[in-house]
Amino acid sequence: MHGEVLVQPPMPALLESLRHPFFSGDAGPTPLGKPLPELRAAARMQILEAATLWAQQTGADPPPALPSPADGDTRPIILTGHQLEFYHAGVWAKVLVADALARRTDGLAFDLLVDYDTVDQRGFDVPEHAAATGDWSKAPVDFAPPSPLPVDALPAPAADEFQAWDAALADHPATHTDTMALFLTAARGGLRHDAASGPAPGYAAWLSGARRKLEASLDLNVHHVPAGLLCTGPLWHDFVAAWITNADAWTAAYNRHLAGYRASHGIRDDRRPMPNLERRASADATLHELPFWIYRLGEPRQRLFIKKASAATRLLLGNAEIPLDTAFRDPPDTLQIRPRALTLTLYARLLFADLFIHGIGGALYDQITDALLDELFHIVPPYACVSAAWLLPLAAESDRI
């Protein structure tokens, strides 16, 4: 319904949980080789460094310096996230709630940009009115076609491409709002308009920079951080290595909890909400699919398989077999290993967030993540579900037309 907002658990319960940190107590070793408090202290500093670096690249205000927990700092970190696309009201509501929670708990809010996903639509749908029938429908207005490449390889639109897109949007009066004008002005300003303007921005930096300017104008202080900047370095390598080491047990647990979710929700399609991880055995080796993507920069993503043999374990990328020491080289020689949906929120909830905010879809499938976290790490960190519906005043627009 128009104007309704879903926040579950309710705000008072979320505020209370953030004032009493969930992560405390047992400091024993984890499957990642170190106690959870030590891992989370390192993650806390990494997300600050990543958000600061990204702010420098996009012209945004950086987050404040955050002392480590060892220095007595206990300010909570509220994390949400989404694919890099133009947000509708239901998605953006997560940002609004993250900002409100951070303000009321002296915490820090971050928006995780999934910069290794693909983008189905570079543009967005707009309301279109048929004068003959009086009906409204959605019409796509895009500046470029979909691409099979991850976002980290996509460019921002060229200046003339943006101009044509802006002109097409102008033909749809229902989109003409002050907020849209502010966003488009910021987006236009983030482009390279001539050779003297410097290197062309990437799609992620361009869209993030424009949206941060809009959010800053509304006094929203949720810092953007690309997932790719968190999926690198020692923490990430240890996380991926743990999945490789425990491939037999952990992939079996993944599939088992996925099957349990399907059964409890009456889902008969074995591809929903995501497919099982594959396992193939041969005479001399076993192939395990892990819940990650693998690709080289500028190439499409592939599902990650590892080949476990008595002599060695290797990663598979197409027909190539990659030794583990090469895969984890720092820098990684353009090879990218990135988490799929469940694995991303497992990693973020376990190490980075005091509270993770999902939309409705993510909140449903993270029931599987809960079960995995409980079995693999014996801890189930909290998360919230937030969504909203704000509708355009199309009836008034129809009367005017």
Side-chain angles (χ1 to χ4, degrees):
M1 298 293 291
H2 174 58
E4 293 193 353
V5 179
L6 169 69
V7 181
Q8 188 62 35
M11 286 292 283
L14 295 177
L15 289 166
E16 184 67 16
S17 71
L18 288 170
R19 291 174 180 134
H20 297 87
F22 177 81
F23 294 93
S24 60
D26 182 23
T30 68
L32 305 187
K34 297 176 182 177
L36 189 57
E38 182 179 340
L39 294 169
R40 285 182 58 83
R44 190 177 181 87
M45 302 312 296
Q46 183 177 352
I47 195 171
L48 259 293
E49 293 169 359
T52 299
L53 175 63
W54 190 246
Q56 293 170 352
Q57 295 178 16
T58 58
D61 291 333
L66 187 65
S68 71
D71 297 325
D73 187 87
T74 58
R75 284 176 288 177
I77 288 179
I78 299 101
L79 189 60
T80 188
H82 201 71
Q83 291 84 359
L84 268 153
E85 59 188 21
F86 296 92
Y87 287 2
H88 58 69
V91 173
W92 206 38
K94 299 186 297 183
V95 176
L96 302 178
V97 171
D99 176 76
L101 289 169
R103 289 175 184 273
R104 294 168 69 177
T105 59
D106 193 28
L108 285 173
F110 296 91
D111 191 357
L112 191 61
L113 312 177
V114 188
D115 59 336
Y116 54 86
D117 209 345
T118 55
V119 180
D120 293 333
Q121 185 177 20
R122 284 190 275 178
F124 47 84
D125 294 340
V126 300
E128 189 168 71
H129 183 253
T133 63
D135 294 335
W136 287 91
S137 60
K138 291 191 299 184
V141 179
D142 304 332
F143 59 81
S147 170
L149 298 180
V151 166
D152 56 21
L154 298 181
D160 57 347
E161 196 173 38
F162 180 90
Q163 200 63 32
W165 181 57
D166 193 18
L169 289 171
D171 291 335
H172 297 272
T175 66
H176 297 177
T177 64
D178 292 343
T179 303
M180 178 63 75
L182 195 158
F183 172 80
L184 290 173
T185 298
R188 185 183 298 106
L191 298 175
R192 186 182 72 170
H193 297 275
D194 53 58
S197 302
Y203 173 87
W206 167 71
L207 186 56
S208 171
R211 188 159 62 82
R212 275 295 285 140
K213 287 184 174 64
L214 170 62
E215 290 170 354
S217 74
L218 299 173
D219 197 29
L220 295 171
N221 198 25
V222 179
H223 304 282
H224 294 187
V225 57
L229 291 181
L230 302 186
C231 298
T232 187
L235 276 177
W236 177 244
H237 295 168
D238 288 347
F239 183 74
V240 177
W243 274 92
I244 293 171
T245 300
N246 299 287
D248 283 317
W250 286 19
T251 57
Y254 183 103
N255 289 343
R256 184 172 63 255
H257 293 304
L258 186 50
Y261 177 86
R262 293 191 191 112
S264 65
H265 288 76
I267 298 173
R268 297 185 178 181
D269 186 344
D270 61 7
R271 297 167 297 178
R272 293 182 51 223
M274 59 275 300
N276 286 352
L277 299 174
E278 294 185 23
R279 178 178 178 180
R280 309 171 197 160
S282 63
D284 60 346
T286 302
L287 267 60
H288 292 277
E289 181 185 1
L290 300 185
F292 300 92
W293 300 108
I294 185 171
Y295 61 99
R296 294 192 184 280
L297 286 175
E299 298 178 359
R301 306 177 303 180
Q302 301 178 31
R303 297 183 299 167
L304 174 60
F305 284 86
I306 61 169
K307 181 178 180 180
K308 281 199 163 190
S310 56
T313 298
R314 294 176 180 269
L315 307 182
L316 304 184
L317 178 60
N319 295 322
E321 296 187 6
I322 303 170
L324 293 184
D325 60 345
T326 300
F328 293 127
R329 183 184 302 156
D330 192 14
D333 193 26
T334 76
L335 184 70
Q336 310 297 306
I337 299 174
R338 298 290 182 258
R340 282 149 67 174
L342 292 180
T343 331
L344 173 60
T345 54
L346 189 153
Y347 181 62
R349 288 173 60 194
L350 180 70
L351 297 181
F352 293 93
D354 292 288
L355 177 70
F356 195 95
I357 300 177
H358 270 301
I360 293 175
L364 287 172
Y365 73 61
D366 241 26
Q367 296 174 52
I368 308 166
T369 312
D370 282 353
L372 274 172
L373 282 162
D374 191 21
E375 179 170 345
L376 306 185
F377 294 90
H378 311 297
I379 189 170
V380 183
Y383 68 90
C385 176
V386 173
S387 191
W390 287 293
L391 306 179
L392 292 170
L394 295 184
E397 181 68 26
S398 179
D399 292 341
R400 187 171 66 80
I401 290 174

